[in-house]
Amino acid sequence: RPATYRARTDGATLWWRFNDSSWEVLDSSGAVNSGTAYFPMYPGSTTGVSGQAFILDPAGGYVVSSRAAVDTSSSFTVSAWVRTDNAAGSQVALSQKGTTVHGFSLGRDAGTGKWAFTMPRSDSTGAVLDSVLSDNAGATGVYVHLAGVYDDAADTINLFVNGAPKTPVTRLDTSEWSA
């Protein structure tokens, strides 16, 4: 299926493969943006899509990068292979922290159980959220490829689930901000 990408790219700015059994989270993109794992996380403890994967404990395991991976005030794409074994609650696969709130989140929506790509319109706790949801609740026990796309020129966000795009949502932010 042909597509047009209207923005410049310099390649990946972050690629964590989680393909070893150490607690050190190395960046394979060449951008030198390694991460720090916070417990409980179990690296190399399960088979992934390609090689080993890690398990995050739902009680709060996460990884933090040494710096921002994308500029959320301009076009960007984020993606991850995700497998959840429990459909309950919010499950964030990727996000990038702003001063007050995250500039985006990609994962499972707590209210609907559907896959979601969400961006707040400002860096404040009361910000309106623009969200794209999958058609159905996210499957459990299987790997799913999720991609979130922000197109600054078109003022849209979109979600791709296993390569299939959802209908883009217009992003009505009046002042862009970078997380």
Side-chain angles (χ1 to χ4, degrees):
R1 179 164 164 138
T4 302
Y5 182 71
R6 290 177 275 170
R8 143 183 112 70
T9 181
D10 294 326
T13 59
L14 179 63
W15 179 25
W16 292 337
R17 294 175 2 166
F18 298 107
N19 204 21
D20 61 29
S21 58
S22 75
W23 293 104
E24 189 175 12
V25 182
L26 301 176
D27 179 12
S28 297
S29 73
V32 192
N33 195 359
S34 295
T36 303
Y38 291 88
F39 301 98
M41 185 181 107
Y42 313 103
S45 54
T46 191
T47 301
V49 172
S50 174
Q52 293 296 300
F54 73 103
I55 297 172
L56 285 176
D57 190 305
Y62 59 99
V63 178
V64 175
S65 67
S66 55
R67 65 181 182 282
V70 297
D71 176 358
T72 60
S73 69
S74 60
S75 297
F76 68 89
T77 300
V78 293
S79 66
W81 282 100
V82 178
R83 184 183 115 186
T84 61
D85 292 328
N86 181 344
S90 175
Q91 298 177 18
V92 177
L94 297 174
S95 67
Q96 184 167 293
K97 189 173 179 355
T99 302
T100 307
V101 297
H102 290 94
F104 69 85
S105 66
L106 179 68
R108 185 188 300 275
D109 177 70
T112 63
K114 296 179 178 184
W115 300 119
F117 179 57
T118 301
M119 291 183 72
R121 293 185 188 169
S122 65
D123 192 11
S124 63
T125 55
V128 173
L129 300 176
D130 293 315
S131 297
V132 181
L133 299 174
S134 62
D135 296 332
N136 303 306
T140 58
V142 296
Y143 279 98
V144 176
H145 187 262
L146 301 178
V149 177
Y150 170 48
D151 184 335
D152 186 31
D155 284 326
T156 60
I157 62 172
N158 204 352
L159 171 69
F160 291 73
V161 180
N162 289 329
K166 303 300 131 196
T167 302
V169 168
T170 301
R171 184 159 161 70
L172 301 172
D173 59 336
T174 54
S175 60
E176 295 173 338
W177 63 283
S178 187

